[in-house]
Amino acid sequence: MSYRPISELLTAENLDTLARARECAEKFVRPFAAEWDRTAEYPWSAIEGLKRYDLFRVWIPKEYGGAGGGVLNLCLAVEELSRACGGFGVLYAVNALGSFPIILGGTPEQKEAWLPPIAAGEKLIAFGLSEKKSGSDAGSLRCRAEKKADGYTLNGTKKWNTNGGAADIYTVYASTDPSRGGRGISAFLIEKGHPGFVIGKREDLMGIRCVPVHELAFEDCLVGRHQLLGGREGHGFANAMATLDRARPAVAAQAVGLAQGALDLAIAYARDRQQFGQSVLSFQATQFLIAEMATRIEAARQLVYAAARALDLGARNVGKLAAMSKVFASDTAMEVTTNAVQLFGGYGYCRDYPIEKYMRDAKITQIYEGTNQVQRLVIGRALTRESVDDPKVERPVADREEAPDVATPPTMPVGA
Ligand code: CAA
């Protein structure tokens, strides 16, 4: 019933990460996933599992207490955890989303102070970019950070904070200069319990129900200058975008894991289910359906690995590949999990069986960390830039001093 990776395509380190994540998932996640989904309780016991299998170190650089496994090893771990529970997969992955801003843009002192406790699993971290009125148009955020003699005072709210309340550290984006739009956004590192920082309402979600998603509020929240990420104002938006480029393959890996988990269950069910005197799996219609599902999952997986490897090797212009992996894997997960419910027939629609949870968990992968419409926008803009003979295209967007000299298609008013 278990999916077997093509081990020849992976390194010994990759296979070790995958094996540890698989064992952790089977012992600490799968047996409890249905209960967490029903009660929406936080899976603290499985956080202990992640620590026991040393999985928080995976993506953190070696010099800061990590394993230096990069995005590919992160994706392998997320996929295996998500095969057992999509909610738990993202609960793990958002720690990478929260810490990439520090890895990419922190000062050496900030990296030294904040990354080792995350690597050791002592502190969980979350990412605060979206707001009630600022979702796809992330540059329009309104949370304000006003400069004071001894630091910055934050006022405003954040929305859709995954792992909110449970996390100890929050990477928070706020405007230090509203007159400069996106170029006035800065990032701050703030700990739970900091005066003026309030964990707000918890959302009642359709899926990924073991992960708390909260509003955050900042009420005259005074933070020190050492909490300004990178020690510089105005670099927050580019930092958030570069972070999302690294984190989107992990959402794609969550989608691949979900889809694979659903396919594994559907095949086992169809094999045991007898109708018209034979196993449902033996019908050609079923064979064609599972062949299609498996082929799409494998294509999505290899695209995730390609995007992750490109990021780890420092390839240029990787935002396009990261977006492609997220679009393709999440659309695949939605299609595969829906077909898996169909293969279970009436039982698939029942909470007594584990399969409908996969379909509910899959839906969010098409929405968060940038809707799939935003991903298509990112891909389309990259293709537009590549279509002109512009040497700036060969450099990462963050390195450019000015915007590309081509017409940019407008942002679509869609989704989050
Ligand atoms: N890397 C570095 N810099 C980048 C960049 C990248 N990938 N993409 C853009 N930038 C820079 C540009 O160079 C530009 O810099 P200058 O101002 O110096 O010229 C600046 O950022 C603005 O770029 P754009 O004009 O392209 O920005 P835009 O306003 O048109 O927005 C967008 C582009 C792709 C739509 C972006 O807003 C976006 O990704 N939106 C979706 C946001 C998102 O994913 N939110 C999810 C948050 S996390 C979550 O879901 C919850 C959770 O906890 C899981």
Side-chain angles (χ1 to χ4, degrees), residues 90 94 97 127-130 135-139 159-163 182-183 237-239 241-245 248 251 319 367-371 374-375 377-378 381 396-404 408 411:
V90 71
V94 289
L97 173 67
F127 178 81
L129 177 66
S130 300
S136 293
D137 184 6
K159 188 88 181 160
W160 312 125
N161 194 260
T162 309
N163 225 8
R183 290 183 181 183
F237 191 75
N239 174 268
M241 292 300 110
T243 290
L244 288 163
D245 286 347
R248 284 172 179 156
V251 172
I367 299 173
Y368 60 20
E369 290 194 31
T371 62
V374 160
Q375 308 307 322
L377 190 76
V378 169
R381 284 181 177 185
V397 183
D399 288 357
R400 278 188 243 136
E401 281 157 26
E402 53 186 9
T408 305
T411 305

Tab-separated table of all heavy atoms in Angstrom, residues 90 94 97 127-130 135-139 159-163 182-183 237-239 241-245 248 251 319 367-371 374-375 377-378 381 396-404 408 411, ligand 1:
chain	number	residue	atom	x	y	z
A	90	VAL	N	1.451	20.776	6.629
A	90	VAL	CA	1.622	22.236	6.547
A	90	VAL	C	2.044	22.803	7.891
A	90	VAL	O	2.801	23.777	7.957
A	90	VAL	CB	0.362	22.941	5.992
A	90	VAL	CG1	-0.798	22.941	6.969
A	90	VAL	CG2	0.705	24.390	5.626
A	94	VAL	N	5.159	25.342	7.650
A	94	VAL	CA	5.119	26.786	7.934
A	94	VAL	C	6.300	27.227	8.800
A	94	VAL	O	6.625	28.416	8.836
A	94	VAL	CB	3.809	27.282	8.602
A	94	VAL	CG1	2.658	27.250	7.650
A	94	VAL	CG2	3.507	26.570	9.880
A	97	LEU	N	8.529	28.361	6.172
A	97	LEU	CA	8.017	29.638	5.649
A	97	LEU	C	8.374	30.778	6.607
A	97	LEU	O	8.768	31.859	6.167
A	97	LEU	CB	6.489	29.540	5.479
A	97	LEU	CG	5.749	30.819	5.093
A	97	LEU	CD1	6.114	31.269	3.685
A	97	LEU	CD2	4.230	30.620	5.180
A	127	PHE	N	4.444	33.001	9.933
A	127	PHE	CA	4.714	34.033	8.918
A	127	PHE	C	3.498	34.947	8.801
A	127	PHE	O	2.402	34.462	8.515
A	127	PHE	CB	4.979	33.292	7.600
A	127	PHE	CG	5.246	34.129	6.382
A	127	PHE	CD1	6.509	34.666	6.152
A	127	PHE	CD2	4.252	34.346	5.435
A	127	PHE	CE1	6.774	35.390	5.001
A	127	PHE	CE2	4.507	35.075	4.276
A	127	PHE	CZ	5.777	35.593	4.064
A	128	GLY	N	3.668	36.239	9.043
A	128	GLY	CA	2.527	37.164	9.032
A	128	GLY	C	2.621	38.203	7.944
A	128	GLY	O	3.243	39.257	8.137
A	129	LEU	N	2.017	37.916	6.784
A	129	LEU	CA	2.018	38.872	5.663
A	129	LEU	C	0.598	39.359	5.374
A	129	LEU	O	0.331	40.556	5.357
A	129	LEU	CB	2.622	38.196	4.416
A	129	LEU	CG	2.635	39.015	3.124
A	129	LEU	CD1	3.561	40.229	3.247
A	129	LEU	CD2	3.082	38.154	1.925
A	130	SER	N	-0.349	38.422	5.164
A	130	SER	CA	-1.706	38.777	4.716
A	130	SER	C	-2.472	39.563	5.774
A	130	SER	O	-2.231	39.438	6.970
A	130	SER	CB	-2.495	37.508	4.389
A	130	SER	OG	-1.854	36.791	3.377
A	135	GLY	N	-4.577	40.516	0.415
A	135	GLY	CA	-4.311	39.089	0.238
A	135	GLY	C	-3.407	38.896	-0.964
A	135	GLY	O	-2.181	38.945	-0.855
A	136	SER	N	-4.024	38.730	-2.159
A	136	SER	CA	-3.232	38.599	-3.387
A	136	SER	C	-2.371	39.843	-3.605
A	136	SER	O	-1.223	39.759	-4.038
A	136	SER	CB	-4.163	38.402	-4.590
A	136	SER	OG	-4.824	37.160	-4.497
A	137	ASP	N	-2.944	41.012	-3.293
A	137	ASP	CA	-2.198	42.268	-3.438
A	137	ASP	C	-1.423	42.525	-2.147
A	137	ASP	O	-1.750	43.416	-1.352
A	137	ASP	CB	-3.196	43.409	-3.724
A	137	ASP	CG	-2.501	44.733	-3.994
A	137	ASP	OD1	-1.251	44.750	-4.075
A	137	ASP	OD2	-3.206	45.755	-4.124
A	138	ALA	N	-0.368	41.729	-1.961
A	138	ALA	CA	0.363	41.764	-0.687
A	138	ALA	C	1.008	43.122	-0.424
A	138	ALA	O	1.173	43.529	0.723
A	138	ALA	CB	1.436	40.664	-0.692
A	139	GLY	N	1.354	43.842	-1.500
A	139	GLY	CA	2.026	45.139	-1.346
A	139	GLY	C	1.128	46.217	-0.750
A	139	GLY	O	1.603	47.297	-0.379
A	159	LYS	N	-3.973	38.522	9.078
A	159	LYS	CA	-5.008	37.504	8.864
A	159	LYS	C	-4.349	36.223	8.350
A	159	LYS	O	-3.277	36.274	7.769
A	159	LYS	CB	-5.998	38.062	7.829
A	159	LYS	CG	-7.242	37.248	7.597
A	159	LYS	CD	-8.346	37.605	8.546
A	159	LYS	CE	-9.568	36.733	8.288
A	159	LYS	NZ	-10.478	36.700	9.414
A	160	TRP	N	-5.021	35.096	8.526
A	160	TRP	CA	-4.594	33.787	7.984
A	160	TRP	C	-3.228	33.379	8.497
A	160	TRP	O	-2.400	32.884	7.736
A	160	TRP	CB	-4.570	33.796	6.442
A	160	TRP	CG	-5.775	34.355	5.788
A	160	TRP	CD1	-5.816	35.371	4.876
A	160	TRP	CD2	-7.140	33.934	5.951
A	160	TRP	NE1	-7.109	35.624	4.490
A	160	TRP	CE2	-7.940	34.760	5.138
A	160	TRP	CE3	-7.764	32.952	6.730
A	160	TRP	CZ2	-9.324	34.635	5.068
A	160	TRP	CZ3	-9.142	32.840	6.668
A	160	TRP	CH2	-9.890	33.661	5.830
A	161	ASN	N	-2.980	33.610	9.785
A	161	ASN	CA	-1.675	33.239	10.321
A	161	ASN	C	-1.667	31.766	10.705
A	161	ASN	O	-2.167	31.379	11.769
A	161	ASN	CB	-1.335	34.137	11.510
A	161	ASN	CG	0.126	34.026	11.863
A	161	ASN	OD1	0.493	33.321	12.795
A	161	ASN	ND2	0.970	34.672	11.092
A	162	THR	N	-1.072	30.954	9.818
A	162	THR	CA	-1.042	29.504	10.013
A	162	THR	C	-0.063	29.145	11.125
A	162	THR	O	1.082	29.594	11.094
A	162	THR	CB	-0.639	28.809	8.693
A	162	THR	OG1	-1.478	29.308	7.665
A	162	THR	CG2	-0.791	27.308	8.778
A	163	ASN	N	-0.530	28.363	12.079
A	163	ASN	CA	0.228	27.992	13.283
A	163	ASN	C	0.198	29.129	14.314
A	163	ASN	O	0.951	29.109	15.289
A	163	ASN	CB	1.681	27.603	12.973
A	163	ASN	CG	2.097	26.346	13.717
A	163	ASN	OD1	1.271	25.686	14.351
A	163	ASN	ND2	3.370	26.011	13.657
A	182	GLY	N	4.947	49.400	-1.672
A	182	GLY	CA	5.650	48.145	-1.388
A	182	GLY	C	7.080	48.373	-0.919
A	182	GLY	O	7.612	47.626	-0.098
A	183	ARG	N	7.707	49.440	-1.439
A	183	ARG	CA	9.104	49.716	-1.069
A	183	ARG	C	9.224	50.287	0.345
A	183	ARG	O	10.331	50.500	0.827
A	183	ARG	CB	9.732	50.676	-2.069
A	183	ARG	CG	9.959	50.029	-3.415
A	183	ARG	CD	10.642	50.949	-4.382
A	183	ARG	NE	10.827	50.290	-5.672
A	183	ARG	CZ	11.457	50.834	-6.695
A	183	ARG	NH1	11.949	52.039	-6.596
A	183	ARG	NH2	11.585	50.168	-7.826
A	237	PHE	N	9.147	43.740	1.341
A	237	PHE	CA	8.353	43.131	0.269
A	237	PHE	C	9.198	42.156	-0.558
A	237	PHE	O	8.787	41.020	-0.807
A	237	PHE	CB	7.724	44.199	-0.639
A	237	PHE	CG	6.697	43.633	-1.573
A	237	PHE	CD1	5.439	43.279	-1.110
A	237	PHE	CD2	6.988	43.421	-2.914
A	237	PHE	CE1	4.489	42.721	-1.965
A	237	PHE	CE2	6.045	42.865	-3.782
A	237	PHE	CZ	4.795	42.526	-3.304
A	238	ALA	N	10.393	42.596	-0.940
A	238	ALA	CA	11.265	41.697	-1.717
A	238	ALA	C	11.616	40.463	-0.879
A	238	ALA	O	11.689	39.343	-1.414
A	238	ALA	CB	12.525	42.432	-2.142
A	239	ASN	N	11.803	40.668	0.431
A	239	ASN	CA	12.102	39.530	1.310
A	239	ASN	C	10.931	38.551	1.344
A	239	ASN	O	11.117	37.330	1.261
A	239	ASN	CB	12.409	40.048	2.724
A	239	ASN	CG	12.597	38.934	3.732
A	239	ASN	OD1	11.648	38.515	4.385
A	239	ASN	ND2	13.830	38.436	3.854
A	241	MET	N	8.627	38.129	-0.986
A	241	MET	CA	8.499	37.472	-2.300
A	241	MET	C	9.551	36.372	-2.468
A	241	MET	O	9.261	35.276	-2.947
A	241	MET	CB	8.641	38.506	-3.432
A	241	MET	CG	7.502	39.505	-3.529
A	241	MET	SD	5.889	38.735	-3.829
A	241	MET	CE	5.074	38.998	-2.289
A	242	ALA	N	10.799	36.678	-2.073
A	242	ALA	CA	11.863	35.668	-2.193
A	242	ALA	C	11.581	34.487	-1.259
A	242	ALA	O	11.872	33.328	-1.588
A	242	ALA	CB	13.216	36.303	-1.867
A	243	THR	N	11.004	34.795	-0.093
A	243	THR	CA	10.610	33.731	0.842
A	243	THR	C	9.568	32.827	0.206
A	243	THR	O	9.661	31.589	0.256
A	243	THR	CB	10.044	34.367	2.137
A	243	THR	OG1	11.113	34.987	2.835
A	243	THR	CG2	9.381	33.333	3.020
A	244	LEU	N	8.552	33.444	-0.406
A	244	LEU	CA	7.476	32.643	-1.017
A	244	LEU	C	8.012	31.801	-2.176
A	244	LEU	O	7.556	30.680	-2.391
A	244	LEU	CB	6.328	33.558	-1.450
A	244	LEU	CG	5.513	34.115	-0.261
A	244	LEU	CD1	4.664	35.312	-0.682
A	244	LEU	CD2	4.633	33.037	0.362
A	245	ASP	N	8.997	32.336	-2.908
A	245	ASP	CA	9.616	31.525	-3.972
A	245	ASP	C	10.192	30.232	-3.397
A	245	ASP	O	10.124	29.169	-4.019
A	245	ASP	CB	10.757	32.302	-4.651
A	245	ASP	CG	10.251	33.401	-5.576
A	245	ASP	OD1	9.047	33.420	-5.904
A	245	ASP	OD2	11.080	34.259	-5.961
A	248	ARG	N	6.939	27.962	-1.713
A	248	ARG	CA	5.851	27.396	-2.532
A	248	ARG	C	6.095	25.944	-2.941
A	248	ARG	O	5.136	25.154	-2.964
A	248	ARG	CB	5.578	28.314	-3.731
A	248	ARG	CG	4.810	29.555	-3.306
A	248	ARG	CD	4.662	30.611	-4.364
A	248	ARG	NE	3.888	31.743	-3.844
A	248	ARG	CZ	3.956	32.982	-4.304
A	248	ARG	NH1	4.765	33.276	-5.325
A	248	ARG	NH2	3.226	33.946	-3.778
A	251	VAL	N	4.552	23.780	-0.307
A	251	VAL	CA	3.097	23.613	-0.415
A	251	VAL	C	2.800	22.589	-1.512
A	251	VAL	O	1.923	21.728	-1.374
A	251	VAL	CB	2.395	24.951	-0.739
A	251	VAL	CG1	0.924	24.735	-1.051
A	251	VAL	CG2	2.533	25.924	0.415
A	319	GLY	N	11.414	31.812	-9.352
A	319	GLY	CA	10.023	32.072	-8.956
A	319	GLY	C	9.038	31.393	-9.893
A	319	GLY	O	8.011	30.857	-9.457
A	367	ILE	N	-5.087	27.576	-2.645
A	367	ILE	CA	-5.399	28.941	-2.187
A	367	ILE	C	-4.228	29.615	-1.469
A	367	ILE	O	-3.858	30.739	-1.820
A	367	ILE	CB	-6.648	28.909	-1.259
A	367	ILE	CG1	-7.866	28.378	-2.029
A	367	ILE	CG2	-6.926	30.302	-0.680
A	367	ILE	CD1	-9.103	28.138	-1.162
A	368	TYR	N	-3.642	28.931	-0.456
A	368	TYR	CA	-2.671	29.700	0.358
A	368	TYR	C	-1.277	29.759	-0.260
A	368	TYR	O	-0.989	29.131	-1.247
A	368	TYR	CB	-2.657	29.276	1.817
A	368	TYR	CG	-2.319	27.846	2.199
A	368	TYR	CD1	-1.650	26.980	1.372
A	368	TYR	CD2	-2.667	27.405	3.477
A	368	TYR	CE1	-1.342	25.695	1.789
A	368	TYR	CE2	-2.363	26.123	3.907
A	368	TYR	CZ	-1.706	25.278	3.057
A	368	TYR	OH	-1.406	24.018	3.467
A	369	GLU	N	-0.472	30.614	0.358
A	369	GLU	CA	0.857	30.988	-0.165
A	369	GLU	C	0.768	31.461	-1.611
A	369	GLU	O	1.615	31.158	-2.446
A	369	GLU	CB	1.871	29.866	0.040
A	369	GLU	CG	2.189	29.716	1.527
A	369	GLU	CD	3.404	28.885	1.835
A	369	GLU	OE1	4.346	28.874	1.040
A	369	GLU	OE2	3.401	28.239	2.906
A	370	GLY	N	-0.306	32.216	-1.873
A	370	GLY	CA	-0.566	32.741	-3.208
A	370	GLY	C	-1.535	31.838	-3.927
A	370	GLY	O	-1.253	30.650	-4.131
A	371	THR	N	-2.715	32.388	-4.265
A	371	THR	CA	-3.712	31.579	-4.982
A	371	THR	C	-3.102	31.050	-6.289
A	371	THR	O	-2.118	31.619	-6.787
A	371	THR	CB	-4.942	32.428	-5.353
A	371	THR	OG1	-4.504	33.473	-6.236
A	371	THR	CG2	-5.612	33.032	-4.125
A	374	VAL	N	-2.665	33.752	-8.708
A	374	VAL	CA	-1.432	34.543	-8.527
A	374	VAL	C	-0.230	33.783	-9.089
A	374	VAL	O	0.654	34.373	-9.719
A	374	VAL	CB	-1.220	34.920	-7.037
A	374	VAL	CG1	0.238	35.291	-6.762
A	374	VAL	CG2	-2.126	36.078	-6.652
A	375	GLN	N	-0.205	32.463	-8.888
A	375	GLN	CA	0.933	31.681	-9.436
A	375	GLN	C	0.986	31.813	-10.955
A	375	GLN	O	2.060	31.947	-11.536
A	375	GLN	CB	0.814	30.188	-9.071
A	375	GLN	CG	0.603	29.877	-7.600
A	375	GLN	CD	1.621	30.508	-6.683
A	375	GLN	OE1	2.802	30.586	-7.014
A	375	GLN	NE2	1.177	30.982	-5.541
A	377	LEU	N	-0.076	34.266	-12.644
A	377	LEU	CA	0.393	35.631	-12.907
A	377	LEU	C	1.922	35.689	-12.828
A	377	LEU	O	2.584	36.283	-13.704
A	377	LEU	CB	-0.211	36.546	-11.837
A	377	LEU	CG	-0.074	38.038	-12.014
A	377	LEU	CD1	-1.047	38.520	-13.073
A	377	LEU	CD2	-0.363	38.732	-10.687
A	378	VAL	N	2.488	35.061	-11.809
A	378	VAL	CA	3.946	35.037	-11.646
A	378	VAL	C	4.585	34.357	-12.868
A	378	VAL	O	5.568	34.850	-13.435
A	378	VAL	CB	4.340	34.292	-10.340
A	378	VAL	CG1	5.839	34.022	-10.277
A	378	VAL	CG2	3.879	35.095	-9.111
A	381	ARG	N	4.162	36.610	-16.029
A	381	ARG	CA	5.074	37.764	-16.027
A	381	ARG	C	6.496	37.334	-16.358
A	381	ARG	O	7.207	38.026	-17.083
A	381	ARG	CB	5.055	38.436	-14.656
A	381	ARG	CG	3.812	39.259	-14.417
A	381	ARG	CD	3.886	39.914	-13.051
A	381	ARG	NE	2.741	40.768	-12.806
A	381	ARG	CZ	2.607	41.523	-11.722
A	381	ARG	NH1	3.533	41.515	-10.793
A	381	ARG	NH2	1.548	42.290	-11.557
A	396	PRO	N	18.381	37.546	-10.686
A	396	PRO	CA	17.191	37.416	-9.845
A	396	PRO	C	16.526	38.770	-9.669
A	396	PRO	O	17.208	39.799	-9.639
A	396	PRO	CB	17.727	36.916	-8.503
A	396	PRO	CG	19.194	36.843	-8.612
A	396	PRO	CD	19.616	37.224	-9.975
A	397	VAL	N	15.197	38.767	-9.545
A	397	VAL	CA	14.458	40.021	-9.466
A	397	VAL	C	14.988	40.885	-8.329
A	397	VAL	O	15.109	42.096	-8.445
A	397	VAL	CB	12.956	39.721	-9.243
A	397	VAL	CG1	12.145	41.002	-9.237
A	397	VAL	CG2	12.449	38.799	-10.336
A	398	ALA	N	15.354	40.239	-7.202
A	398	ALA	CA	15.771	40.990	-6.014
A	398	ALA	C	17.041	41.800	-6.274
A	398	ALA	O	17.283	42.807	-5.625
A	398	ALA	CB	15.992	40.030	-4.862
A	399	ASP	N	17.881	41.349	-7.236
A	399	ASP	CA	19.149	42.029	-7.496
A	399	ASP	C	18.990	43.252	-8.378
A	399	ASP	O	19.902	44.041	-8.536
A	399	ASP	CB	20.132	41.072	-8.212
A	399	ASP	CG	20.630	40.016	-7.248
A	399	ASP	OD1	20.249	40.087	-6.064
A	399	ASP	OD2	21.371	39.129	-7.691
A	400	ARG	N	17.817	43.371	-9.017
A	400	ARG	CA	17.652	44.454	-9.978
A	400	ARG	C	17.457	45.796	-9.309
A	400	ARG	O	16.861	45.884	-8.251
A	400	ARG	CB	16.454	44.179	-10.876
A	400	ARG	CG	16.796	43.258	-11.985
A	400	ARG	CD	15.620	43.209	-12.905
A	400	ARG	NE	15.119	41.865	-12.899
A	400	ARG	CZ	13.849	41.551	-12.822
A	400	ARG	NH1	12.957	42.503	-12.720
A	400	ARG	NH2	13.478	40.313	-12.846
A	401	GLU	N	17.985	46.833	-9.952
A	401	GLU	CA	17.811	48.179	-9.378
A	401	GLU	C	16.520	48.811	-9.851
A	401	GLU	O	16.019	49.753	-9.280
A	401	GLU	CB	18.998	49.047	-9.769
A	401	GLU	CG	20.203	48.741	-8.883
A	401	GLU	CD	21.507	49.122	-9.533
A	401	GLU	OE1	21.506	50.023	-10.386
A	401	GLU	OE2	22.497	48.491	-9.183
A	402	GLU	N	15.995	48.314	-10.964
A	402	GLU	CA	14.756	48.897	-11.472
A	402	GLU	C	13.868	47.790	-12.014
A	402	GLU	O	14.319	46.680	-12.266
A	402	GLU	CB	15.061	49.903	-12.571
A	402	GLU	CG	15.930	49.290	-13.663
A	402	GLU	CD	16.352	50.316	-14.682
A	402	GLU	OE1	16.118	51.503	-14.441
A	402	GLU	OE2	16.886	49.926	-15.713
A	403	ALA	N	12.599	48.123	-12.194
A	403	ALA	CA	11.654	47.132	-12.687
A	403	ALA	C	11.987	46.766	-14.128
A	403	ALA	O	12.584	47.560	-14.843
A	403	ALA	CB	10.247	47.690	-12.612
A	404	PRO	N	11.626	45.553	-14.588
A	404	PRO	CA	11.923	45.162	-15.967
A	404	PRO	C	11.266	46.111	-16.962
A	404	PRO	O	10.179	46.602	-16.732
A	404	PRO	CB	11.339	43.754	-16.084
A	404	PRO	CG	10.454	43.588	-14.900
A	404	PRO	CD	10.959	44.518	-13.850
A	408	THR	N	3.959	45.056	-17.782
A	408	THR	CA	3.623	44.027	-16.804
A	408	THR	C	2.123	43.818	-16.789
A	408	THR	O	1.382	44.774	-16.568
A	408	THR	CB	4.090	44.455	-15.409
A	408	THR	OG1	5.489	44.756	-15.491
A	408	THR	CG2	3.872	43.371	-14.389
A	411	THR	N	-2.422	42.780	-12.032
A	411	THR	CA	-2.774	41.761	-11.056
A	411	THR	C	-4.263	41.464	-11.152
A	411	THR	O	-5.066	42.377	-11.251
A	411	THR	CB	-2.459	42.274	-9.636
A	411	THR	OG1	-1.097	42.662	-9.606
A	411	THR	CG2	-2.696	41.210	-8.596
B	1	CAA	N1	11.906	38.089	-5.349
B	1	CAA	C1	12.431	39.279	-4.974
B	1	CAA	N2	11.825	40.463	-5.244
B	1	CAA	C2	10.671	40.424	-5.914
B	1	CAA	C3	10.071	39.234	-6.337
B	1	CAA	C4	10.744	38.027	-6.037
B	1	CAA	N3	10.241	36.842	-6.405
B	1	CAA	N4	8.914	39.499	-6.969
B	1	CAA	C5	8.787	40.835	-6.960
B	1	CAA	N5	9.843	41.401	-6.321
B	1	CAA	C6	10.112	42.823	-6.124
B	1	CAA	C7	10.132	43.524	-7.492
B	1	CAA	O1	11.425	43.510	-8.051
B	1	CAA	C8	9.695	44.903	-7.127
B	1	CAA	O2	10.786	45.600	-6.598
B	1	CAA	P1	10.940	47.186	-6.768
B	1	CAA	O3	9.780	47.815	-6.042
B	1	CAA	O4	12.247	47.506	-6.147
B	1	CAA	O5	10.863	47.451	-8.238
B	1	CAA	C9	8.700	44.704	-6.008
B	1	CAA	O6	9.005	43.419	-5.447
B	1	CAA	C10	7.252	44.726	-6.464
B	1	CAA	O7	7.100	43.708	-7.463
B	1	CAA	P2	5.757	43.581	-8.324
B	1	CAA	O8	5.472	44.913	-8.972
B	1	CAA	O9	5.881	42.402	-9.207
B	1	CAA	O10	4.666	43.339	-7.179
B	1	CAA	P3	3.082	43.277	-7.262
B	1	CAA	O11	2.537	44.253	-6.304
B	1	CAA	O12	2.621	43.361	-8.690
B	1	CAA	O13	2.771	41.824	-6.657
B	1	CAA	C11	2.421	39.439	-6.687
B	1	CAA	C12	3.200	40.653	-7.248
B	1	CAA	C13	3.118	38.240	-7.342
B	1	CAA	C14	0.965	39.446	-7.063
B	1	CAA	C15	2.620	39.374	-5.146
B	1	CAA	O14	1.906	40.421	-4.495
B	1	CAA	C16	2.164	38.045	-4.551
B	1	CAA	O15	2.923	37.070	-4.562
B	1	CAA	N6	0.928	37.987	-4.006
B	1	CAA	C17	0.473	36.809	-3.247
B	1	CAA	C18	0.924	36.919	-1.822
B	1	CAA	C19	0.917	35.588	-1.112
B	1	CAA	O16	1.410	34.593	-1.609
B	1	CAA	N7	0.377	35.577	0.107
B	1	CAA	C20	0.326	34.417	0.909
B	1	CAA	C21	0.883	34.690	2.291
B	1	CAA	S1	1.275	33.284	3.285
B	1	CAA	C22	-0.164	32.421	3.501
B	1	CAA	O17	-0.803	32.077	2.574
B	1	CAA	C23	-0.619	32.012	4.870
B	1	CAA	C24	0.218	31.018	5.527
B	1	CAA	O18	0.624	31.216	6.673
B	1	CAA	C25	0.507	29.684	4.906
